[in-house]
Amino acid sequence: MTYVPVTSARPEPVRVGLVGAGWMGSFHARSLAQRIPDASLVAIADPALEAAQLLAAELGVARVSPEPEDVISDPEVDAVVIAAPARFHAELSIAAARAGKHVFCEKPASLDLDELARVEQAVGDAGVHWQVGFNRRYAADFLAARRDVADGVVGTPQLLRSLTRDPGTGSIRNAERVPPGTIFLETLIHDFDALNWYNSGAEPVSVHAAADALVEPELRGTGFLDTAVVTVRYENGAIAVAEASFSTLYGYDVRGEVFGSRGMVQAGRATETAAVRFGAKGLSAETPRLNIELFAEAYRAELADFAAHVRARRDGGEAPDHGVPLTPGLDDARRALAVARACIEAVGTGETARVAGVPSRG
């Protein structure tokens, strides 16, 4: 038998190093190794070395370390995916940018606006691509709704809504370990980005926030919050509402809505599929219980977009064109964080808080 030699025209994949092998990092690792042709997972770092080794063995990754610096400084790594705990995101982004690596950082990009400004400086100095994990933008229905807004289907946005209800059992495991402000900085941060994205071109100017420990009331005195409703005012007059709960008995529920001068568009649903059962006890439907179930394709799509941007820079090609603003960068990270920080202020004072750190477009 004689085989005919074939020269592949397929470009070399982007070599990615992962920092953080926990819940989200592991999902990203499997996507990079198995589901994204433009990317190749080549290294994993996590202080929990055993977890990193098990993940690497599963995926055939040869280089593993307990030190993030080993991945960040590796000359065989083109880009770094940061899935470490939120308090480390900014310093890891800065280190990776200074090492000349492109960066995909899980949300939030930082917990502090001044710290995020240092990330912006480092990224700007290095000239690397930096992207934040606002995966909701990549979910098919949310993206379709955004395109409807861009096409004028709803007219001028007037009322917007976004909600995140995390699945729960009526109690929250290890709630006492959850840092104050988490509901704004790590949960509603997705909703704030979605609202900013839908009302593109208008800056958020003020917020009012009501929040409490309704699931774990015994922790009320510690600053823990598990339930929140936020009202955001925009400079174009639009009013948005975001809400969150840490314990939803019926499953994972994420939805969005834009009401405007011409109509309305909605995204998301509480059921896993459109299938509904009709029986003697009424109607029933399956509901998603995990973020990696509800947003599995969106998580993969955001990493595929990241790899495409990095490859375009590396190979001198064109960056992806999605028809509407999609790829979330530092400006998007800053705008969402500014709303989250204003919420923390508003809850502390009981008053409406101005959104700081967002440049005026006026």
Side-chain angles (χ1 to χ4, degrees), residues 26-86:
S26 295
F27 187 85
H28 286 329
R30 294 182 180 101
S31 296
L32 290 164
Q34 301 170 340
R35 303 295 293 273
I36 301 173
D38 284 345
S40 174
L41 182 63
V42 299
I44 299 173
D46 195 302
L49 184 58
E50 184 177 356
Q53 288 174 313
L54 288 171
L55 183 62
E58 173 193 335
L59 300 176
V61 176
R63 299 202 287 283
V64 184
S65 173
E67 300 295 336
E69 177 57 30
D70 289 339
V71 168
I72 289 171
S73 63
D74 190 335
E76 297 300 313
V77 169
D78 302 315
V80 175
V81 169
I82 298 170

Side-chain angles (χ1 to χ4, degrees), residues 164-173 183 187 214-216 224-227 244-253 289:
T164 300
R165 297 173 183 166
D166 290 339
T169 61
S171 64
I172 302 168
R173 184 180 180 185
I183 197 165
T187 299
L214 300 183
V215 183
E216 300 288 352
F224 173 77
L225 301 170
D226 53 42
T227 309
S245 171
F246 282 170
S247 186
T248 307
L249 298 185
Y250 59 82
Y252 198 32
D253 187 2
R289 299 285 163 166

Side-chain angles (χ1 to χ4, degrees), residues 1 6 9 11 13 28 57 70 74 130-131 137 171 174 179 184 189 209 218 244-245 248 251 268 280 293 340 358:
M1 180 182 294
V6 175
H28 286 329
D70 289 339
D74 190 335
W130 187 97
Q131 186 172 327
R137 294 182 177 214
S171 64
N174 297 323
F184 301 117
I189 196 88
E218 70 280 3
S245 171
T248 307
E293 293 175 347
V358 178

Side-chain angles (χ1 to χ4, degrees), residues 88-335:
F88 301 119
H89 287 181
E91 65 180 78
L92 289 168
S93 282
I94 292 170
R98 288 175 175 169
K101 312 299 185 187
H102 304 283
V103 179
F104 178 93
C105 181
E106 262 302 335
K107 58 77 194 170
S110 173
L111 301 176
D112 177 82
L113 285 166
D114 290 337
E115 186 180 56
L116 186 56
R118 292 193 288 274
V119 175
E120 292 185 86
Q121 183 68 51
V123 169
D125 290 345
V128 297
H129 177 68
W130 187 97
Q131 186 172 327
V132 67
F134 287 143
N135 62 287
R136 204 165 299 185
R137 294 182 177 214
Y138 294 86
D141 50 350
F142 283 84
L143 181 53
R146 178 64 180 84
R147 289 187 170 127
D148 278 351
V149 173
D151 291 341
V153 173
V154 303
T156 302
Q158 297 170 341
L159 295 171
L160 302 95
R161 184 182 183 215
S162 184
L163 64 86
T164 300
R165 297 173 183 166
D166 290 339
T169 61
S171 64
I172 302 168
R173 184 180 180 185
N174 297 323
E176 67 282 356
R177 299 182 188 176
V178 177
T182 294
I183 197 165
F184 301 117
L185 294 166
E186 299 193 42
T187 299
L188 280 166
I189 196 88
H190 277 299
D191 300 87
F192 301 148
D193 175 67
L195 295 171
N196 291 340
W197 184 48
Y198 281 135
N199 197 25
S200 180
E203 296 294 346
V205 295
S206 66
V207 305
H208 183 78
D212 204 344
L214 300 183
V215 183
E216 300 288 352
E218 70 280 3
L219 296 178
R220 187 169 286 141
T222 70
F224 173 77
L225 301 170
D226 53 42
T227 309
V229 177
V230 176
T231 303
V232 185
R233 293 298 304 264
Y234 285 86
E235 64 181 0
N236 65 348
I239 305 170
V241 175
E243 67 170 76
S245 171
F246 282 170
S247 186
T248 307
L249 298 185
Y250 59 82
Y252 198 32
D253 187 2
V254 176
R255 286 175 276 150
E257 179 179 290
V258 183
F259 172 90
S261 58
R262 292 183 179 176
M264 179 181 71
V265 62
Q266 295 179 324
R269 64 186 177 207
T271 59
E272 191 167 14
T273 71
V276 178
R277 300 186 190 91
F278 295 74
K281 294 183 178 180
L283 309 182
S284 66
E286 296 296 331
T287 57
R289 299 285 163 166
L290 300 172
N291 59 337
I292 59 174
E293 293 175 347
L294 183 61
F295 287 118
E297 292 306 315
Y299 284 128
R300 295 177 185 125
E302 67 181 353
L303 288 178
D305 187 37
F306 173 68
H309 275 277
V310 173
R311 197 183 70 186
R313 290 200 180 203
R314 183 195 66 190
D315 300 342
E318 292 292 326
D321 182 0
H322 302 284
V324 295
L326 179 64
T327 310
L330 281 159
D331 184 58
D332 303 298
R334 183 179 64 250
R335 295 171 77 234

